[in-house]
Amino acid sequence: MITIQTRLTALLARIQSAAAAAGRAGVGIRLVAVSKTFPSEAIRQAIAAGVSDIGENYIQEARDKFEALQGTAVKWHFIGRLQTNKAKQAVRMFDLIHTLDSYKLALELDRCARRLHKIQPVLIQVNVAGEATKAGVAPEEALSLVRQAAALENIAVKGLMTMPPYFNAPERVRPFFAALRQLRDRIRHEEITNIGMEELSMGMTGDFEAAVAEGATLVRIGTAVFGERS
């Protein structure tokens, strides 16, 4: 029987191998185990196996799991599209929000975080391919959004996130990961006060090795941890 522990061991070995091949051995690459549609018990098993970061796509589903797993030593990541009317719940639950893509949302996250006396870490989501079906700020608008967010006292921009087009060939995705890294480097060069650009959230089960090769610090992986979704 293939268990979460078995999958996780194999996955971490692949991440380490990809890092070594890219000359990044010893560089921090964190696995965000994406538990969308999986029950709280599966998350408990993943935590017991060594997972320390959990990613969720939907506020309602995440809320039930968050409450069921109170007290567990895990960091929560929101990786789905976030509506402003869900900002309060997101700020209450999540250690890192990966999907900030507008100044309107930034203002609401800042307002909600201020009420909770919290500095909310966020990533700017960038639509590197300009796909109409995906959220994210256009690459040419990312720096402007970063500058706007820098003026808000209760959110802290930590880096960038992207979801590239789907190809059944990881090397075809790699240029999109490279583009995000290059954008991160350009923004970092601006040396904007109150902005950190240490995180690159990119790469999923089918393409994380290409993402690691291009500098990913957070890889968002579900199937290779929890198995196929029903």
Side-chain angles (χ1 to χ4, degrees), residues 178-190:
L180 191 75
R181 173 179 50 78
Q182 292 159 8
L183 177 61
R184 186 276 311 271
D185 292 346
R186 290 196 298 273
I187 294 173
R188 179 184 278 172
H189 183 71
E190 296 290 322

Side-chain angles (χ1 to χ4, degrees), residues 81 101 125-138 163-165:
R81 185 173 292 191
D101 64 353
Q125 182 175 358
V126 183
N127 189 343
V128 288
E131 294 180 280
T133 57
K134 289 183 179 172
V137 64
M163 295 181 64

Side-chain angles (χ1 to χ4, degrees), residues 113-156:
R114 184 165 57 253
R115 287 184 172 182
L116 293 175
H117 306 288
K118 177 183 181 181
I119 305 296
Q120 176 63 57
V122 299
L123 304 179
I124 303 292
Q125 182 175 358
V126 183
N127 189 343
V128 288
E131 294 180 280
T133 57
K134 289 183 179 172
V137 64
E140 62 271 18
E141 297 172 0
L143 177 57
S144 176
L145 179 56
V146 169
R147 290 190 186 281
Q148 290 174 317
L152 302 176
E153 295 182 355
N154 288 82
I155 61 174

Side-chain angles (χ1 to χ4, degrees), residues 6-7 9 59 89 100 109 125 163 208 212-213 220 227 230:
T6 303
R7 291 191 194 95
T9 299
I59 293 293
Q89 295 176 69
L100 173 59
L109 289 171
Q125 182 175 358
M163 295 181 64
F208 71 84
V212 167
R220 311 180 304 270
S230 57

